[in-house]
């Protein structure tokens, strides 16, 4: 049910929205800096309350977040300025995604390994074969045999060291072990403030040396802005299924503040979040509300627990008549739900103005519909490429690289392996997200030219050889030596 955006009722109904600026932080005196679009990590003291989630008030009050962020250099603007002062975009190649590679087709020489090497008995490729054997054992429910093979792998892969292929093998071996032991559900849960700070630091460092995170954020933001600029409504509502720490909304709010200064725009975000991210969610809320107040932008953020969304679907989200609705999704939401097609059908009933899909996890049209082995191998190849690109961006043995792998990539790999196993238990055969979109009557919307050269300039700024930007049937693709790492597309019903 949508309620009128102009409603000023004080009846207290849950579906009513009053468009007023947040009043709890209007006394803040930090000077806004709305003249650039670069993304700035937002971390500050979180002192408000949110009754939807449990919290540790004593820990919140005792943490000196300003000092922590200064120590980690998270209080500076270190991302590139991407205002449109660039030459016309270069020619974009049109590429097709590589076909998924299966175990008997894997070529160790492609990853820099000699099959005749004495290093690890085949240069490490035999380790990959053992990983595939574990996957096959899980597929056939031979769990005891799987444990035996994993035990042997634990002796050979004691730490994530060496070349990208071996480091990827370690993380995937670890994910399989957690899957078999039943501890995989805790892989993404941050249990201490130290872990939260380290995750924030890792994200910041990743954005500083690799174009992967900022490509995802800037292309999604510009697709959102393009949609909002096509409407005369000053009210915007973004439904976000993977908000993370929310830093991507800094540049988006700056742009909205500049474009709607005359009309008095209003941005509302509804984030669907897992239950284990309660503390981070509270931090996100306080930071974004404070940042919006600095910009004098009217802003509101609400949270819906994933468990609630699983039961009620989009009925759990408040929609307001007169708002322009954007739904921002990634493969994460499909991992948590039982069916892609049912999610898309429910999405069609909401009829958003645009759906922005950002795939930074190598789904590429096959994930969600393949066998456990197929998806495992596809994920392994994808994250090996990510680690290769990380090696090219960071010096050998750099501590920053270890932090990024431990706090950003390792949890993603664990989630990918779990999702492939869940799909196997559910029998597989589900449509891919692309097939589900088309079956529901969705069509792709071309991204604007500004998105193109914004992405191109971002890659040039990174100065890491091997990255390039390509177009693929209306999608914008960040590639590593011709292989897709991030794919952004916009869709409408």
């Amino acid at each position: 049910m949508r309620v009128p955006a102009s409603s000023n009722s004080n009846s207290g109904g849950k579906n009513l929205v009053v468009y007023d600026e947040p009043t709890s932080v209007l006394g803040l005196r930090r000077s806004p800096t709305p003249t650039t679009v670069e993304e700035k990590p937002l971390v500050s003291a979180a002192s408000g309350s949110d009754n939807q989630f449990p919290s540790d008030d004593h820990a919140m009050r005792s943490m000196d977040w300003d000092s922590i962020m200064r120590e980690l250099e998270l209080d500076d603007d270190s991302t590139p300025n991407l205002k449109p002062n660039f030459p016309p975009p270069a020619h974009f190649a049109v590429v097709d995604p590589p076909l998924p590679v299966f175990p008997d087709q894997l070529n160790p020489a492609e990853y820099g390994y000699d099959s005749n090497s004495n290093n690890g008995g085949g240069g490490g490729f035999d380790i990959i074969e053992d990983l595939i054997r574990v996957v096959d054992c899980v597929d056939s429910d031979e769990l005891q045999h799987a444990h035996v093979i994993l035990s042997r792998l634990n002796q050979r892969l004691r730490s994530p060291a060496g070349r990208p292929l071996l480091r990827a093998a370690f993380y995937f071996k670890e994910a399989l072990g957690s899957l078999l032991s039943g501890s995989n559900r805790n892989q993404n849960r941050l249990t201490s403030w130290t872990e939260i700070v380290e995750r924030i630091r890792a994200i910041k460092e990743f954005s500083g040396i690799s174009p992967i995170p900022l490509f995802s954020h800037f292309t999604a933001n510009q697709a959102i802005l393009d949609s909002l600029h096509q409407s005369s409504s000053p009210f915007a509502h973004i439904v976000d299924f993977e908000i993370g720490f929310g830093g991507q909304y800094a540049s988006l709010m700056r742009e909205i503040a500049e474009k709607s200064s005359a009309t008095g725009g209003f941005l509302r975000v509804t984030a669907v979040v897992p239950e284990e991210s309660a503390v981070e969610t509270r931090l996100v809320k306080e930071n974004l509300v404070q940042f919006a107040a600095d910009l004098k932008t009217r802003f509101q953020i609400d949270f819906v627990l994933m468990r609630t969304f699983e039961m009620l679907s989009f009925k759990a989200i408040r929609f307001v008549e007169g708002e322009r609705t954007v739904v921002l999704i990634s493969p994460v939401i499909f991992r948590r739900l039982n069916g892609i097609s049912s999610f898309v059908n429910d999405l069609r009933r909401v009829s958003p103005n645009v759906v922005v899909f950002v795939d930074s996890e190598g789904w590429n049209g096959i994930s969600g519909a393949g066998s456990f082995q197929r998806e495992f191998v596809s994920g392994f190849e994808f994250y090996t490429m990510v680690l290769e690109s990380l090696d090219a961006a960071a010096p050998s043995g750099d501590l920053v690289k270890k932090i990024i792998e431990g706090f950003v990539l390792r949890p993603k790999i664990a989630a990918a392996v779990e999702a492939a196993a869940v799909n196997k238990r559910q029998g597989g055969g589900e449509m891919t997200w692309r097939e589900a979109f088309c079956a529901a009557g969705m069509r792709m919307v071309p991204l604007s030219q500004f998105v193109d050269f914004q992405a191109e300039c971002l890659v040039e700024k990174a100065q890491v050889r091997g990255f390039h930007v390509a177009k693929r049937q209306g999608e914008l693709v960040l590639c590593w030596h011709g292989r897709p790492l991030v794919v952004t597309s916009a869709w409408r019903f």
Side-chain angles (χ1 to χ4, degrees):
M1 175 181 179
R2 294 178 180 264
V3 298
S6 59
S7 173
N8 292 319
S9 170
N10 294 321
S11 63
K14 290 185 178 180
N15 286 331
L16 295 179
V17 175
V18 179
Y19 290 107
D20 292 324
E21 291 184 10
T23 58
S24 60
V25 291
L26 291 182
L28 296 172
R29 293 292 184 266
R30 275 200 309 130
S31 299
T33 54
T35 57
T36 59
V37 212
E38 67 266 28
E39 196 162 21
K40 180 177 182 179
L42 301 175
V43 181
S44 61
S47 58
S49 61
D50 190 335
N51 293 330
Q52 296 187 54
F53 302 97
S55 62
D56 186 340
D57 290 333
H58 174 72
M60 286 294 233
R61 288 193 297 269
S62 62
M63 291 295 292
D64 186 355
W65 280 99
D66 290 336
S67 297
I68 292 172
M69 294 306 111
R70 281 195 297 271
E71 180 181 348
L72 298 179
E73 297 181 349
L74 290 175
D75 57 346
D76 64 338
D77 261 344
S78 58
T79 52
N81 188 336
L82 295 177
K83 293 297 284 185
N85 296 322
F86 305 119
H91 174 70
F92 288 85
V94 178
V95 299
D96 291 318
L99 294 175
V101 182
F102 288 90
D104 58 351
Q105 298 171 317
L106 284 172
N107 179 11
E110 184 178 350
Y111 297 94
Y113 291 90
D114 180 2
S115 59
N116 296 318
S117 169
N118 293 324
N119 179 18
F125 191 63
D126 55 329
I127 290 177
I128 312 307
E129 293 176 334
D130 275 349
L131 283 174
I132 300 303
R133 291 188 185 101
V134 175
V135 172
D136 290 340
C137 288
V138 173
D139 254 336
S140 58
D141 292 324
E142 299 177 64
L143 302 186
Q144 186 174 359
H145 192 197
H147 280 290
V148 170
I149 302 174
L150 271 179
S151 177
R152 184 170 64 210
L153 283 170
N154 284 333
Q155 296 300 315
R156 302 184 64 191
L157 287 173
R158 296 178 181 272
S159 65
R163 295 189 180 186
L165 185 68
L166 290 179
R167 302 206 308 275
F170 174 86
Y171 293 123
F172 275 85
K173 179 266 300 181
E174 185 183 55
L176 284 171
S178 297
L179 182 69
L180 289 173
S181 66
S183 62
N184 51 304
R185 277 292 181 182
N186 296 321
Q187 289 288 330
N188 282 319
R189 184 168 188 171
L190 301 180
T191 58
S192 70
W193 286 107
T194 300
E195 289 181 342
I196 291 175
V197 172
E198 287 298 322
R199 176 73 65 85
I200 295 171
R201 178 186 177 187
I203 293 171
K204 188 260 185 182
E205 297 287 2
F206 196 22
S207 300
I209 67 173
S210 171
I212 293 175
L214 294 184
F215 183 94
S216 302
H217 294 161
F218 285 144
T219 53
N221 279 355
Q222 194 57 45
I224 292 170
L225 288 167
D226 289 346
S227 171
L228 298 181
H229 294 166
Q230 295 171 8
S231 172
S232 59
S233 173
F235 306 130
H237 180 201
I238 300 174
V239 180
D240 192 338
F241 285 92
E242 191 184 7
I243 194 169
F245 284 100
Q248 63 270 27
Y249 285 101
S251 56
L252 183 63
M253 280 196 280
R254 285 190 181 110
E255 280 290 320
I256 291 177
E258 291 178 357
K259 301 295 183 182
S260 62
S261 58
T263 59
F266 181 91
L267 175 64
R268 186 163 69 93
V269 175
T270 300
V272 180
V273 296
E275 290 73 14
E276 60 266 22
S277 64
V279 179
E280 305 98 284
T281 298
R282 182 174 174 184
L283 186 63
V284 168
K285 180 176 182 178
E286 293 297 325
N287 282 314
L288 291 183
V289 168
Q290 176 179 312
F291 190 80
D294 290 344
L295 290 175
K296 296 181 173 57
T297 297
R298 293 187 292 174
F299 173 80
Q300 178 181 324
I301 184 167
D302 299 307
F303 299 97
V304 173
L305 293 176
M306 181 63 72
R307 185 180 303 160
T308 303
F309 185 84
E310 288 173 344
M311 292 187 296
L312 301 177
S313 187
F314 285 93
K315 293 179 181 179
I317 297 174
R318 177 179 55 188
F319 295 95
V320 178
E321 185 179 347
E323 287 181 328
R324 190 167 184 84
T325 303
V326 177
V327 177
L328 181 58
I329 60 178
S330 71
V332 169
I333 181 59
F334 299 139
R335 289 176 177 159
R336 298 297 298 258
L337 301 178
N338 291 329
I340 295 177
S341 56
S342 60
F343 170 83
V344 176
N345 287 333
D346 290 340
L347 180 62
R348 179 175 56 185
R349 297 186 184 97
V350 174
S351 190
N353 298 93
V354 68
V355 176
V356 180
F357 185 82
V358 180
D359 174 13
S360 59
E361 301 184 35
W363 268 43
N364 260 331
I366 70 148
S367 293
S371 66
F372 184 27
Q373 185 193 88
R374 182 184 176 96
E375 293 199 26
F376 183 92
V377 173
S378 177
F380 182 85
E381 286 196 312
F382 174 79
Y383 281 103
T384 298
M385 289 190 297
V386 173
L387 290 171
E388 286 177 353
S389 72
L390 189 59
D391 277 6
S396 178
D398 192 355
L399 178 60
V400 167
K401 188 166 61 176
K402 298 183 186 302
I403 292 172
I404 293 170
E405 289 183 17
F407 286 91
V408 178
L409 301 182
R410 174 177 170 268
K412 287 180 175 291
I413 290 171
V417 171
E418 180 189 358
V422 169
N423 182 59
K424 176 257 179 185
R425 288 196 296 268
Q426 293 173 348
E430 173 73 30
M431 285 191 288
T432 67
W433 67 267
R434 198 184 304 272
E435 291 169 343
F437 278 18
C438 294
M442 298 180 71
R443 58 182 178 85
M444 192 179 296
V445 181
L447 299 173
S448 69
Q449 188 182 45
F450 178 59
V451 184
D452 293 352
F453 69 79
Q454 185 184 50
E456 184 75 16
C457 291
L458 176 64
V459 172
E460 291 177 1
K461 183 76 173 180
Q463 296 183 343
V464 180
R465 294 185 61 181
F467 284 107
H468 68 277
V469 179
K471 277 186 173 179
R472 182 182 65 187
Q473 301 176 347
E475 300 171 321
L476 199 61
V477 187
L478 176 65
C479 297
W480 172 251
H481 292 294
R483 299 187 178 187
L485 289 184
V486 184
V487 183
T488 301
S489 56
W491 300 74
R492 286 182 187 153
F493 286 96

